[in-house]
Amino acid sequence: SHRKAARPGGGVNFSDLDDGLSISFGQGHNAAGFEHFQKGRVKAAEEEFQLSIQLDNRFIAALNNLGVVYLSVGMYDRAEARIAEALELDPDFAVLLNNLGLVHLFLGNLDKARTLLEKAYSRDPQLGAAALTLGDLYYMNQETEKAVSYWERLLGLDAMAELAARRLKYRKAEVG
């Protein structure tokens, strides 16, 4: 089930060639899918990612990105299947670990989510999405000291610093 209050913000990561992934025949469709998704055309994005996977069923970026599309529309079982498929191809890829952790967070599998997110963060401490979501997860579990420690780690990462600062400010306002 989907619980709006439990949704962490900014925790999903798309994959592209900058992630050091190999070139694929499905690359053009993956890029088109990403562009469609950024413009809010979820169905078109899904179709492009599926075409990319049809051309190369081992294209990690397309598998992940299709999983992210499914995650964004609450199709958690499909998201889990696609991201897990990508993770089988690269079990230590932090982005995939993070995204599968998010799926489990939304499914309410908090222990599995925590394990995956912590593994993602340990593989890549610069992955702000993992630190942000771990902070949110600990906060939801009322482990505020752990939450704050993860959010504070984000202050040094440009892309996530603003989100972390907002969470810390909100937490400080709660305490009084």
Side-chain angles (χ1 to χ4, degrees):
S1 69
H2 178 79
R3 296 177 296 157
K4 273 193 170 185
R7 280 187 73 96
V12 175
N13 283 108
F14 276 92
S15 300
D16 60 23
L17 290 177
D18 292 337
D19 290 325
L21 301 172
S22 61
I23 301 298
S24 168
F25 290 114
Q27 188 174 329
H29 289 290
N30 185 60
F34 184 73
E35 189 174 317
H36 283 302
F37 190 80
Q38 285 185 314
K39 294 179 179 176
R41 298 188 298 252
V42 175
K43 186 65 178 161
E46 176 188 20
E47 291 169 0
E48 290 291 344
F49 292 136
Q50 287 172 339
L51 286 170
S52 180
I53 293 165
Q54 285 175 8
L55 290 170
D56 181 355
N57 66 355
R58 298 178 57 81
F59 189 18
I60 293 171
L63 289 164
N64 176 62
N65 292 345
L66 183 57
V68 169
V69 167
Y70 290 143
L71 178 62
S72 75
V73 295
M75 299 172 80
Y76 302 127
D77 291 339
R78 286 186 181 185
E80 179 183 19
R82 286 306 187 179
I83 296 169
E85 192 176 341
L87 197 55
E88 285 178 23
L89 298 169
D90 190 350
D92 290 321
F93 191 11
V95 167
L96 301 175
L97 291 163
N98 176 74
N99 291 349
L100 191 57
L102 280 171
V103 170
H104 284 284
L105 180 63
F106 296 139
L107 287 170
N109 304 330
L110 301 184
D111 290 336
K112 183 140 181 130
R114 178 179 302 155
T115 298
L116 288 161
L117 292 164
E118 286 176 347
K119 188 174 180 182
Y121 186 77
S122 73
R123 295 290 185 274
D124 184 359
Q126 296 299 309
L127 184 60
L132 182 69
T133 307
L134 275 167
D136 293 348
L137 176 63
Y138 284 121
Y139 185 77
M140 289 179 345
N141 286 330
Q142 297 170 0
E143 298 177 63
T144 53
E145 286 183 31
K146 283 185 180 179
V148 167
S149 76
Y150 277 101
W151 293 335
E152 285 176 339
R153 295 173 199 185
L154 287 170
L155 296 176
L157 302 176
D158 293 336
M160 297 291 187
E162 183 182 333
L163 287 171
R166 276 192 253 154
R167 281 173 172 72
L168 289 167
K169 181 178 177 183
Y170 176 76
R171 173 65 189 130
K172 287 176 184 172
E174 278 185 338
V175 172

